[in-house]
Amino acid sequence: MNSMGDSKKLHIAMFPWLAFGHLIPFLELGKLIAQKGHRISFISTPRNIERLPKIPSNLAPSITFVKLPLPHVENLPENAEATMDVPYHIIPYLKKAHDGLQQPLSQFLETSAPDWIIHDFAPHWLPPIATKLGISRAFFSIFNASFLCILGPSKSSVTNAQEPRTEAKDFTVPPKWVPFPTKIAYRLFEAKKIFENFDENASGVSDWFRLLTIYLGADALAIKTCTEIEGEWLELLGELHDIPVIPVGLLPPPAQESGDSNKDSTWGTIVEWLDKQEKGSVVFIALGSEIQPTQQDFTELALGFEQSGLPFFWALRKKIELPEGFEERTRGRGFVWTGWAPQLKILAHDSVGGFLTHCGWGSVTEALQFGRALILLPFLTDQGLVARFLEEKQTGVEVPRNEENGSFTRESVAKTLRFVIEDVEGKIYRDNAKEMATIIGGKDLHSTYIDKFVEFLENRGRVKEG
């Protein structure tokens, strides 16, 4: 139903970064905007578009997929169009290829003249193009507000008043621009990697340059969060960037969204096993499509699951070498699944009591939607800060790690699992996760956020050139 009455139908272009952790929330947001009667052009590469979930038939006329072929770049494997297709160290070449979409995207924007483009952090070259064409720009962040605040301000007045962060240890304490008490900061082993984001990479620019340019060129910052969870951080974010910050809610996808029909058969096998387990007893383990731990990490994880004595369902993207005899010793109690797994359906199952996660914001909000307590094992840039945020909320506990190199032991994995899932002292985490489900699972609440965002888009419309 069109909520706008007789007002103008907007044409909105959407341009996510080439990662499914970005593509899926962008698509979810696009579907919700289309439900309000607006027209969406969803822009990505051919292979990525083919791998997206199918659009509901009632929205299909309102959403057009625009396929821009990804230019060939040296060191980027053939058919690699998303971060899940390449090892972590190859991602800068994917960014370089993504920058090669500048000309075809410009041509599309010029010929189709959308009212808005909702874009990601990566296309630093986009703001001047859109400005010249009179197209309003919204940066949609799939990262949460606390992460963006800790990362840093774009306003020079804020940075000039602070001591610059020039060494890794400077990132291991909360920055001085955060005016309220918090313990959210990087661990030393994470901070050492952070400099990669501030240094020029193989794409020709740094990730921080991309983000800063996007902040300075956007008319608004839309963000996948809500004030009920990140109120003070959202307020601070607006001050750090001097830009309208609009939370769009957590975009919780419907639990029973089936995805591909040929994948539905896998659910039969999985649910048969889950149905045999006691309520709230199973640890679901999934580290996302982009995380590629070392063999040593995998071994310690596996032996930690074994040592915990808890039932577990471990979803692996690719087959790995498990410790000798591991599957035999854990047979019946543990289930190792290789390939695609229906994460939402698994998290929704009553037998699942906890979720060991890499702390991607999307996965975390999916788990909390069903009140699952979290065992936190972050690997990439934003994930460590998300883990600390969740610890502050007492909805999850982080697996202890070596501060210098980030290594962890089977003992620390087993102890953390038992603490969160069954120990009396861990009950507060289980209770808080259930309480969080009332916020994250509240469809009416998130609908209100979408209404406000769409109202903002409608009122702003096209900007005048110049």
Side-chain angles (χ1 to χ4, degrees):
M1 184 176 136
N2 190 334
S3 64
M4 301 179 299
D6 296 326
S7 63
K8 180 174 175 278
K9 187 183 206 179
L10 297 178
H11 176 200
I12 296 163
M14 302 191 77
F15 186 50
W17 163 236
L18 307 173
F20 278 84
H22 294 241
L23 286 152
I24 299 294
F26 264 75
L27 184 60
E28 203 60 39
L29 181 59
K31 289 185 327 196
L32 292 166
I33 296 169
Q35 280 176 10
K36 305 292 179 186
H38 297 295
R39 189 159 60 89
I40 301 292
S41 289
F42 193 94
I43 307 160
S44 193
T45 62
R47 189 159 176 246
N48 287 342
I49 286 171
E50 283 159 18
R51 291 184 283 183
L52 286 169
K54 297 288 177 279
I55 296 291
S57 55
N58 64 313
L59 294 178
S62 303
I63 300 175
T64 304
F65 288 107
V66 180
K67 298 179 180 180
L68 301 183
L70 195 66
H72 173 72
V73 166
E74 201 176 345
N75 297 319
L76 192 65
E78 200 177 341
N79 293 325
E81 296 185 10
T83 51
M84 68 184 289
D85 301 328
V86 295
Y88 185 70
H89 69 280
I90 297 294
I91 290 175
Y93 298 102
L94 192 63
K95 287 177 178 143
K96 187 176 181 180
H98 172 273
D99 290 340
L101 296 173
Q102 178 175 342
Q103 189 181 357
L105 180 65
S106 301
Q107 287 171 342
F108 171 78
L109 294 176
E110 195 166 354
T111 54
S112 61
D115 300 284
W116 279 91
I117 181 160
I118 299 175
H119 57 81
D120 220 320
F121 77 95
H124 60 93
W125 34 265
L126 177 58
I129 294 166
T131 304
K132 186 180 176 186
L133 295 170
I135 300 167
S136 297
R137 301 158 306 286
F139 165 36
F140 174 39
S141 170
I142 60 106
F143 301 111
N144 67 335
S146 54
F147 166 68
L148 292 182
C149 288
I150 300 286
L151 206 53
S154 56
K155 281 169 64 179
S156 57
S157 58
V158 177
T159 41
N160 289 343
Q162 309 292 337
E163 293 170 15
R165 296 184 288 182
T166 54
E167 297 176 41
K169 65 179 177 60
D170 298 335
F171 288 83
T172 62
V173 292
K176 292 179 181 176
W177 54 74
V178 180
F180 44 82
T182 184
K183 291 180 181 173
I184 300 177
Y186 285 103
R187 302 273 189 257
L188 185 59
F189 69 91
E190 295 166 335
K192 290 173 183 174
K193 293 179 186 172
I194 286 304
F195 287 105
E196 293 173 15
N197 297 309
F198 291 88
D199 294 338
E200 183 180 308
N201 55 46
S203 73
V205 296
S206 69
D207 285 350
W208 177 242
F209 174 81
R210 289 180 190 276
L211 188 57
L212 199 58
T213 311
I214 289 295
Y215 278 135
L216 297 172
D219 294 309
L221 166 55
I223 182 165
K224 185 179 178 284
T225 191
C226 60
T227 52
E228 289 76 7
I229 290 175
E230 288 199 287
E232 56 191 358
W233 291 104
L234 279 164
E235 196 175 321
L236 176 60
L237 194 59
E239 292 167 13
L240 294 178
H241 300 295
D242 199 19
I243 188 174
V245 174
I246 307 152
V248 299
L250 291 159
L251 307 178
Q256 298 312 315
E257 203 166 79
S258 60
D260 292 354
S261 56
N262 65 335
K263 290 175 177 175
D264 287 344
S265 57
T266 65
W267 176 237
T269 310
I270 293 168
V271 76
E272 186 183 344
W273 184 84
L274 289 172
D275 284 345
K276 292 173 185 170
Q277 313 306 316
E278 287 181 32
K279 185 178 178 179
S281 67
V282 176
V283 183
F284 174 46
I285 303 126
L287 297 176
S289 59
E290 296 170 33
I291 307 299
Q292 296 167 339
T294 62
Q295 184 58 51
Q296 184 185 346
D297 284 348
F298 272 127
T299 300
E300 292 302 311
L301 269 178
L303 295 174
F305 303 152
E306 181 180 348
Q307 207 174 97
S308 74
L310 295 168
F312 64 87
F313 185 96
W314 189 1
L316 289 169
R317 192 179 137 219
K318 293 176 181 169
K319 194 153 184 66
I320 58 154
E321 191 182 324
L322 292 164
E324 194 175 342
F326 169 78
E327 288 187 89
E328 289 74 24
R329 293 192 301 272
T330 59
R331 196 176 302 285
R333 174 167 69 83
F335 196 143
V336 180
W337 181 271
T338 306
W340 181 86
Q343 181 163 299
L344 270 173
K345 287 184 175 182
I346 295 169
L347 286 167
H349 197 279
D350 283 347
S351 71
V352 174
F355 180 36
L356 189 146
T357 173
H358 62 301
C359 304
W361 188 233
S363 286
V364 160
T365 51
E366 283 181 6
L368 290 175
Q369 179 183 347
F370 303 109
R372 307 304 178 218
L374 303 166
I375 301 93
L376 311 167
L377 191 65
F379 285 90
L380 299 179
T381 312
D382 63 309
Q383 295 164 4
L385 297 185
V386 170
R388 296 337 73 93
F389 172 78
L390 294 163
E391 284 209 309
E392 279 200 352
K393 295 282 181 188
Q394 288 193 300
T395 55
V397 179
E398 198 169 344
V399 174
R401 291 163 101 151
N402 180 296
E403 286 290 323
E404 288 289 332
N405 62 21
S407 62
F408 54 86
T409 65
R410 63 199 71 173
E411 290 79 14
S412 65
V413 171
K415 189 177 178 182
T416 311
L417 286 173
R418 285 194 298 266
F419 178 80
V420 173
I421 300 296
E422 61 182 17
D423 285 5
V424 175
E425 294 88 345
K427 186 175 184 295
I428 187 169
Y429 295 92
R430 299 191 289 275
D431 290 347
N432 287 343
K434 287 187 178 73
E435 199 175 307
M436 196 75 87
T438 62
I439 297 172
I440 295 180
K443 293 285 189 279
D444 291 346
L445 173 72
H446 297 292
S447 294
T448 305
Y449 281 108
I450 295 297
D451 289 343
K452 287 178 181 173
F453 179 52
V454 171
E455 189 181 328
F456 178 86
L457 298 176
E458 290 168 2
N459 291 340
R460 180 88 188 203
R462 287 172 66 80
V463 295
K464 289 191 167 56
E465 189 176 336

